[in-house]
Amino acid sequence: SSFVTRTNTCGELRSAHVGQKVTLYGWVQYQRQGLFLVLRDFQGLTQIVIPQDEAHSHVRELLSNAPVESVVRVTGTVSPRPVGQENPKMPTGDIEVKAETAEILNSCKKLPFEIKDFIKKSEALRMQYRYLDLRSLRLQSNLRLRSRVVMRMREYLCNLHGFVDVETPTLFKRTPGGAKEFLVPSREAGKFYSLPQSPQQFKQLLMVGGLDRYFQVARCYRDEGSRPDRQPEFTQIDIEMSFVDQAGIQRLIEGLLQHSWPEEKGSIMTPFPTMTYEEALAEYGTDKPDTRFGMKIVDISGVLRGSDIHFVQNALSYPHGSIRAICIPQGVRCLTNKDLESFKESAKSQFNQEIMEIIRRPDGSLKSLLAKFLGEKEQSELIQALNVQEDDVVLLAAGEHKQVCSALGTLRLLSANLLEAAGLALRDPTAFHFLWVVDFPLFLPKAENPTELESAHHPFTAPHPSDASLLYSDPTKVRGQHYDLVLNGSEVGGGSIRIHSAEQQRFVLEKVLKEDSEVLSHLIEALEFGAPPHGGIALGLDRLISLMVDAPSIRDVIAFPKSFRGRDLMGNAPDYVTPEELEPYHIQVSWPLEEKEAKKN
């Protein structure tokens, strides 16, 4: 309560304060029968006894009629609650404050929704009245935890390990590759700034400048449109170091997370396990595996290789063909026929992959269209390979390796959600399973044109030392020095060792990616002036905190987030500007016909 006119907060009074005269400020949580009300502030709740004697009739009238969520000041004496009326669920439940004077500082009009966590309200309404939503216990707790974590991160990086906190520009220029960037018009005709999707170039230039260790709580921007659980503006813990290798960055981040991890969330064990990209894809069907539960993808190509099944033999004839399966425990009891059909439709629509199910009956036999094509030995080997128990359901896919694994990886997560909804405990909600994924391919075929390549991470990632020669002969086989940090199936960080040779950086941009290197001439030139070997990482702060607090959306850990469509529903942004305001930027808006008519009306 330093620097303010209250004597105490609403969450700190205890039996030791009995007899003290206090002044509290807060919001009216609720009022009951004109006898007492509960006052709330950022720290907790205190019960206020409304005086009933005639001498304090004005106080009684004022507090009895104060609308819920009005801001009031109360002065009174701390008293023990009557015997039997203590509330052990409240930290202040042993005391109450007998009001002597009170003042309504600001009365609250009718609320659009109740300020209670258990009251369901639409997200659009929460966004529109975000300043009211912020009063909820859940959001208050999330934002305060976020603040504590960031402060501990600053302590670890700056005070313990000599990092320099540097702010980098928000107005910059377009970066080739990566996510789409927001454009900001300038007063020079036809010239635009871009809002950086990350401080990537600046952090590398700081290493060229000799700062050695940089970090920043960085605001980043990506114009990704309507993507679920993404934000057009977000926050990264951005880090870069000189003279470091991949193992050094990993040790730094493990120490950083251990140091900043909230005590109430339990401890996290280091070092984190490591898995290659190929292992993650083969066993989990994704580069961000949720390792809190089993149901791994199993290669059963060897079991079925000798069968006469046409689609099996056809799949195995591909250069990268394989047959793989997952076993869903208690699938017969937890999944319906409709669920299984939905799985097949998802695999077909998303991956163009056929799926076949196999069910193990209570008598041990297999129920499947495949069963009649499999001999007793093959059936036994299949059961053993997948450890199939009674009432388990097996989902089998055959075809190109990456396509098969990706489809089964998606179905693994979908089936886990359904099993948990049916009451089967698979994932411990209090567990935190960190994982490093390494050895990514440096380049991937472009989805729109597979004959061309794009960076799997970004164009500044250095090739794996063992694959450096392949960069010039067969870049598709080059692994990058890129590493992702995964937590409970979500990517919470990603980084790499950077290219510090101007010649190699120019080759990657011009020859491999077919990009115009002139856009990055400033960076390439900087690399010619004695650039040290360097690398770094960025942690997605919003995602990390949302996983810490088990929030359903990253919007629940951001004070003023945008909606699903990237709009600010509270301030109604983005908004129109007048032609006169656009004139200095040499911009004219070409309105679609229907919008022209709407504006006229």
Side-chain angles (χ1 to χ4, degrees):
S1 295
S2 51
F3 314 116
V4 293
T5 52
R6 65 179 173 231
T7 61
N8 302 86
T9 66
C10 294
E12 69 174 292
L13 296 176
R14 301 291 188 271
S15 297
H17 297 92
V18 167
Q20 292 183 15
K21 192 167 186 177
V22 296
T23 297
L24 307 179
Y25 289 79
W27 286 263
V28 177
Q29 177 91 345
Y30 58 85
Q31 183 263 119
R32 192 165 290 172
Q33 299 173 336
L35 299 175
F36 67 86
L37 60 78
V38 171
L39 200 63
R40 183 194 76 244
D41 68 6
F42 73 96
Q43 201 175 50
L45 307 169
T46 297
Q47 180 168 290
I48 308 296
V49 178
I50 300 173
Q52 302 299 309
D53 58 304
E54 195 59 36
H56 293 90
S57 58
H58 63 292
V59 176
R60 181 177 71 239
E61 183 177 349
L62 186 144
L63 293 180
S64 298
N65 296 319
V68 170
E69 291 302 312
S70 294
V71 182
V72 301
R73 174 189 58 78
V74 174
T75 297
T77 303
V78 182
S79 303
R81 291 200 189 189
V83 176
Q85 294 184 23
E86 299 91 346
N87 185 349
K89 294 181 180 178
M90 282 176 68
T92 60
D94 290 334
I95 60 92
E96 57 192 13
V97 173
K98 292 184 175 178
E100 295 166 14
T101 65
E103 180 185 1
I104 295 182
L105 302 173
N106 209 328
S107 185
C108 181
K109 69 177 187 178
K110 184 175 171 58
L111 293 162
F113 53 79
E114 289 189 68
I115 315 293
K116 291 175 182 172
D117 287 333
F118 60 84
I119 299 290
K120 288 190 176 180
K121 48 250 182 201
S122 73
E123 188 159 63
L125 197 61
R126 290 177 59 202
M127 294 284 205
Q128 185 180 350
Y129 296 95
R130 188 63 170 184
Y131 45 84
L132 294 179
D133 200 31
L134 285 169
R135 295 182 189 176
S136 71
L137 180 62
R138 184 182 63 197
L139 285 188
Q140 287 268 326
S141 173
N142 291 352
L143 292 176
R144 292 179 189 283
L145 180 137
R146 178 181 175 132
S147 174
R148 291 200 309 272
V149 168
V150 170
M151 184 56 68
R152 294 280 288 166
M153 287 180 168
R154 286 185 185 278
E155 288 173 1
Y156 182 83
L157 293 168
C158 291
N159 298 349
L160 298 183
H161 294 289
F163 279 77
V164 184
D165 183 355
V166 181
E167 296 173 25
T168 54
T170 299
L171 295 175
F172 193 44
K173 64 186 290 187
R174 185 183 69 83
T175 303
K180 193 173 180 182
E181 295 168 335
F182 286 102
L183 297 178
V184 179
S186 77
R187 291 175 182 268
E188 293 185 61
K191 290 188 176 181
F192 292 80
Y193 296 104
S194 283
L195 299 182
Q197 50 187 296
S198 80
Q200 181 61 46
Q201 294 181 55
F202 291 111
K203 62 200 274 187
Q204 291 191 239
L205 292 168
L206 287 169
M207 296 305 101
V208 178
L211 261 77
D212 193 71
R213 296 181 172 205
Y214 143 90
F215 102 98
Q216 180 183 186
V217 181
R219 296 295 283 169
C220 305
Y221 308 88
R222 290 180 188 171
D223 187 7
E224 297 186 307
S226 302
R227 294 188 62 178
D229 213 24
R230 290 288 182 96
Q231 287 285 296
E233 50 183 332
F234 55 96
T235 306
Q236 289 182 173
I237 304 297
D238 202 47
I239 292 170
E240 198 79 5
M241 297 173 72
S242 295
F243 311 111
V244 71
D245 59 11
Q246 183 170 307
I249 295 286
Q250 289 174 327
R251 286 196 304 272
L252 170 78
I253 295 304
E254 289 167 356
L256 173 71
L257 289 170
Q258 262 196 329
H259 185 84
S260 60
W261 200 256
E263 285 183 17
E264 65 270 25
K265 299 297 176 182
S267 59
I268 53 175
M269 302 302 294
T270 59
F272 301 152
T274 298
M275 186 181 294
T276 69
Y277 168 80
E278 289 297 340
E279 288 169 340
L281 184 66
E283 294 185 1
Y284 296 94
T286 176
D287 59 4
K288 42 181 183 290
D290 188 343
T291 56
R292 288 175 296 171
F293 69 107
M295 287 173 55
K296 290 183 183 180
I297 299 169
V298 177
D299 186 355
I300 55 171
S301 303
V303 175
L304 300 182
R305 194 175 297 279
S307 71
D308 296 327
I309 305 169
H310 174 69
F311 79 88
V312 167
Q313 295 306 322
N314 189 43
L316 292 176
S317 68
Y318 298 152
H320 301 288
S322 72
I323 306 153
R324 294 181 178 255
I326 57 171
C327 180
I328 305 172
Q330 298 299 303
V332 171
R333 288 192 227 171
C334 300
L335 303 176
T336 64
N337 288 333
K338 187 178 178 182
D339 292 330
L340 294 174
E341 287 305 313
S342 174
F343 287 169
K344 292 177 183 179
E345 288 172 18
S346 293
K348 186 68 178 173
S349 61
Q350 291 183 55
F351 304 99
N352 194 28
Q353 179 64 54
E354 298 289 346
I355 298 291
M356 188 167 286
E357 80 268 19
I358 302 171
I359 295 169
R360 189 174 187 192
R361 299 187 181 101
D363 64 4
S365 64
L366 299 182
K367 177 188 173 185
S368 173
L369 294 174
L370 282 178
K372 61 183 178 182
F373 298 104
L374 300 175
E376 199 171 302
K377 179 173 177 290
E378 288 167 326
Q379 290 195 26
S380 175
E381 288 178 354
L382 186 68
I383 290 169
Q384 190 174 354
L386 290 158
N387 191 25
V388 189
Q389 307 296 315
E390 289 179 14
D391 290 336
D392 287 357
V393 173
V394 171
L395 300 180
L396 181 148
E400 192 274 326
H401 171 71
K402 187 172 182 180
Q403 182 177 301
V404 163
C405 292
S406 298
L408 289 175
T410 297
L411 298 185
R412 174 180 178 267
L413 294 176
L414 289 173
S415 57
N417 292 339
L418 291 173
L419 292 180
E420 289 183 331
L424 200 66
L426 276 185
R427 296 170 285 199
D428 180 355
T430 64
F432 296 98
H433 285 221
F434 283 97
L435 173 73
W436 289 109
V437 179
V438 300
D439 290 351
F440 285 81
L442 188 57
F443 308 108
L444 293 170
K446 286 185 177 178
E448 64 275 14
N449 185 359
T451 61
E452 294 182 2
L453 296 176
E454 62 184 0
S455 296
H457 186 217
H458 57 51
F460 315 112
T461 300
H464 195 286
S466 305
D467 301 345
S469 61
L470 290 170
L471 182 65
Y472 304 96
S473 58
D474 192 353
T476 59
K477 292 182 179 175
V478 179
R479 292 168 297 164
Q481 293 190 69
H482 166 199
Y483 32 86
D484 275 357
L485 182 61
V486 176
L487 172 59
N488 294 355
S490 290
E491 182 190 334
V492 293
S496 67
I497 301 301
R498 322 300 186 189
I499 295 171
H500 65 278
S501 156
E503 181 186 352
Q504 191 177 77
Q505 185 66 80
R506 192 177 286 111
F507 179 85
V508 166
L509 288 167
E510 295 177 356
K511 304 300 182 185
V512 181
L513 300 176
K514 313 297 184 193
E515 295 276 5
D516 180 8
S517 65
E518 190 58 32
V519 179
L520 292 165
S521 59
H522 56 283
L523 177 63
I524 293 172
E525 185 179 20
L527 297 180
E528 295 175 325
F529 286 102
H534 57 284
I537 192 168
L539 298 178
L541 183 64
D542 308 312
R543 179 84 54 209
L544 179 64
I545 301 296
S546 71
L547 291 168
M548 270 186 197
V549 301
D550 195 26
S553 164
I554 61 171
R555 289 185 280 277
D556 289 323
V557 299
I558 300 171
F560 296 100
K562 302 292 187 290
S563 72
F564 170 68
R565 299 193 181 281
R567 292 190 59 81
D568 178 349
L569 300 181
M570 180 182 65
N572 195 32
D575 203 357
Y576 296 109
V577 295
T578 65
E580 291 76 22
E581 290 172 295
L582 288 175
E583 191 175 344
Y585 304 107
H586 314 280
I587 292 174
Q588 285 185 316
V589 177
S590 177
W591 296 101
L593 188 60
E594 60 270 19
E595 290 196 36
K596 275 185 183 176
E597 295 302 318
K599 284 180 74 66
K600 280 181 188 175
N601 298 330

